[in-house]
Amino acid sequence: MWSAEDLARHSVRDQGAGLTAEQVAEKIAEAAVRQQETREQLRAPVDQSPYAADPERLAELWEAKHTEWRRIAALMNASGWGTYDPDSDAEGSAWTRQRETRRQTALDKHAAWAKEQREAKEELRAHVWLPADVSRRLRAIAASTRLTPEQVLAELARHAELRDDGTLTITPFHPS
């Protein structure tokens, strides 16, 4: 759901709170080393175990972290800050809001999908094979009532009654 840049911005923003310019410089150096190491891992044979980290994703993440630490250092230098304050970082705060909006949208979509799945469990979906003459009659009724054949069958089922003697009856009704 989050890109490497999103993950880097989030973690750097959290880790950077209250750091001095010197400490940010150390983070830049560390990220540069890790970026180089992950690039080298890309050239090494790939570990095929199911628990192995994705070397490309890891390389992207460290590259993004390196870029973000450099952005923070430049911001601190230009603003004259002694320590990094994430709340004063307008660009970082905007990215955080955008990320949270995307996250909330995804959660809302998932909740709607889950609700739809719960409601679908209460529905009955059936494939009915009808003889040609019955099928033609059903399509003619559907066309004259401006309903689909499925809607006509649903209306019939809604108005059907099972009597005590086992007979099935349908009282006359106007399709809606």
Side-chain angles (χ1 to χ4, degrees):
M1 179 166 151
W2 283 6
S3 68
E5 289 79 14
D6 288 333
L7 290 171
R9 289 172 185 153
H10 179 75
S11 68
V12 167
R13 188 173 164 84
D14 285 350
Q15 292 174 11
L19 295 183
T20 64
E22 293 80 26
Q23 291 169 318
V24 170
E26 290 172 12
K27 293 288 189 178
I28 291 170
E30 176 190 356
V33 168
R34 295 299 301 265
Q35 181 181 4
Q36 185 62 33
E37 289 173 352
T38 56
R39 281 186 189 154
E40 289 171 8
Q41 286 176 352
L42 286 175
R43 291 184 223 109
V46 179
D47 182 0
Q48 297 294 326
S49 81
Y51 305 107
D54 179 4
E56 288 181 23
R57 179 81 170 154
L58 197 56
E60 288 173 5
L61 181 60
W62 278 105
E63 184 175 339
K65 281 185 176 186
H66 189 207
T67 301
E68 185 62 9
W69 281 119
R70 288 192 322 253
R71 184 192 72 80
I72 287 174
L75 174 67
M76 289 177 67
N77 187 37
S79 303
W81 295 348
T83 59
Y84 176 66
D85 179 15
D87 295 331
S88 298
D89 182 355
E91 190 172 8
S93 295
W95 286 333
T96 298
R97 285 190 300 277
Q98 290 171 357
R99 199 170 42 251
E100 184 56 33
T101 300
R102 285 194 319 267
R103 179 183 163 277
Q104 191 58 52
T105 300
L107 288 174
D108 292 346
K109 284 182 181 180
H110 178 73
W113 175 83
K115 180 182 177 193
E116 186 178 294
Q117 295 302 306
R118 283 191 306 274
E119 290 172 356
K121 288 180 182 178
E122 297 172 4
E123 296 176 356
L124 171 66
R125 295 181 186 265
H127 293 283
V128 181
W129 296 95
L130 302 172
D133 63 325
V134 175
S135 179
R136 280 191 294 276
R137 202 168 355 151
L138 178 60
R139 282 195 296 267
I141 293 169
S144 67
T145 59
R146 295 183 181 176
L147 297 173
T148 65
E150 293 83 5
Q151 290 170 323
V152 171
L153 290 174
E155 287 279 335
L156 288 170
R158 192 173 306 130
H159 291 88
E161 296 176 20
L162 182 63
R163 297 206 172 149
D164 293 337
D165 63 357
T167 59
L168 186 64
T169 63
I170 299 176
T171 55
F173 66 94
H174 291 285
S176 57

